[in-house]
Amino acid sequence: MEELRSTFHKEIEEIRNEVMQLGQSVIAAIPRATAVLLTGDLEAADYLIQADDEIDARAIEVEEKCFQELALQSPVAGDLRELVSMIKIAGELERSADLAVNICKAARRIYGHKIDPELNDLIAKMSEQAQQLFISTMEAFKDHDAAKAAAIDDMDSFLDGLHRRFIAEIFEIHARESIDLQVAVQLAMVARFYERIGDHAVNVGERTNFLLTGWVPESKGAARFKASQTASGLNPPTESQ
């Protein structure tokens, strides 16, 4: 029995390492996608877009291994939380890589158009902050650091501020008629992609905090809905209603 549990924990450790490798792929993809956008390197864009298939496959493999352990080992307590969390984390990482790909696709759409220097600077800052968020959240996951995992949400506020500044700058530049409307739209989408990467890093931090402490992350929208139901004296509908 002890040997079976030892094998089980070794398999969990292997899955954990695969999750870390996925995280490292995302960390590397963010500045690469930014370089594509700022330099107009279409060859590098194609490479990153094609490489995303491998990340998708690796994320699916992590999920399948977690499901296999859940089905065969019937884990409880911390092991159960970790497997469930890694399923969620793999999905967050896969979607973050997709957003890096979206930045490359946007770069192809605006190829040949010069980006305003102020916008270039803000893009570089958003990229750096998005990457730092993932560096920190993957460190929290690797080191089992609940305090660092819980702090990711606060770190994301800086990226949100950069996103707002970027959109305001686009409006100002467009008002001066010094940017093409289609380019402005694509760049606004790019800023949103960076902001969403930050949101996924926050989600990974929350899942890490959950696997370490048992604290269940709850979306603000769901919390508001429950509060409104409680205030009105109504109960949330169930499937049988």
Side-chain angles (χ1 to χ4, degrees):
M1 184 66 178
E2 184 176 341
E3 182 178 349
L4 289 175
R5 298 305 296 176
S6 176
T7 300
F8 171 52
H9 285 123
K10 181 179 178 181
E11 290 168 348
I12 289 182
E13 181 64 27
E14 290 175 355
I15 297 172
R16 189 183 298 121
N17 290 336
E18 291 179 20
V19 170
M20 279 300 305
Q21 290 170 12
L22 270 177
Q24 291 302 317
S25 295
V26 172
I27 290 170
I30 295 169
R32 289 175 183 171
T34 302
V36 165
L37 179 66
L38 297 181
T39 65
D41 188 342
L42 297 185
E43 183 176 350
D46 289 340
Y47 175 81
L48 284 173
I49 291 169
Q50 293 174 15
D52 186 55
D53 287 345
E54 179 185 350
I55 293 178
D56 291 346
R58 287 161 55 196
I60 291 173
E61 185 176 358
V62 166
E63 293 175 354
E64 289 177 344
K65 288 182 177 180
C66 288
F67 284 128
Q68 184 177 30
E69 296 300 327
L70 288 170
L72 298 179
Q73 301 294 340
S74 300
V76 296
D79 292 336
L80 176 61
R81 287 203 308 270
E82 182 156 19
L83 287 169
V84 171
S85 295
M86 289 194 293
I87 291 171
K88 294 285 189 178
I89 290 172
E92 300 288 351
L93 294 173
E94 187 272 330
R95 285 188 286 275
S96 298
D98 286 344
L99 289 165
V101 166
N102 288 346
I103 292 171
C104 292
K105 291 179 178 179
R108 294 198 302 193
R109 296 188 191 102
I110 63 174
Y111 179 74
H113 292 273
K114 186 176 180 180
I115 303 176
D116 183 270
E118 180 65 23
L119 295 180
N120 269 352
D121 183 56
L122 286 171
I123 287 170
K125 289 179 179 178
M126 286 190 292
S127 174
E128 181 180 352
Q129 184 62 16
Q131 184 188 38
Q132 185 56 54
L133 279 166
F134 258 108
I135 290 173
S136 296
T137 200
M138 295 313 299
E139 285 177 349
F141 175 79
K142 177 183 177 182
D143 299 336
H144 284 195
D145 190 333
K148 180 177 283 189
I152 303 300
D153 192 16
D154 291 333
M155 293 174 61
D156 185 48
S157 298
F158 182 66
L159 180 55
D160 291 341
L162 289 173
H163 176 237
R164 289 191 293 270
R165 281 177 56 193
F166 189 85
I167 297 302
E169 188 69 23
I170 286 178
F171 277 115
E172 184 177 328
I173 294 173
H174 185 256
R176 299 198 304 262
E177 298 184 352
S178 56
I179 187 173
D180 181 80
L181 178 60
Q182 181 61 23
V183 174
V185 170
Q186 290 298 322
L187 290 177
M189 292 176 62
V190 163
R192 176 60 173 163
F193 296 151
Y194 284 117
E195 192 266 341
R196 287 296 298 146
I197 289 172
D199 288 345
H200 285 303
V202 170
N203 291 343
V204 173
E206 289 181 344
R207 294 298 171 183
T208 299
N209 198 21
F210 166 70
L211 76 88
L212 295 174
T213 68
W215 174 80
V216 180
E218 184 176 47
S219 74
K220 294 178 181 179
R224 286 195 300 268
F225 174 73
K226 291 180 180 179
S228 67
Q229 293 291 299
T230 300
S232 62
L234 299 174
N235 293 319
T238 63
E239 293 183 1
S240 59
Q241 291 180 318

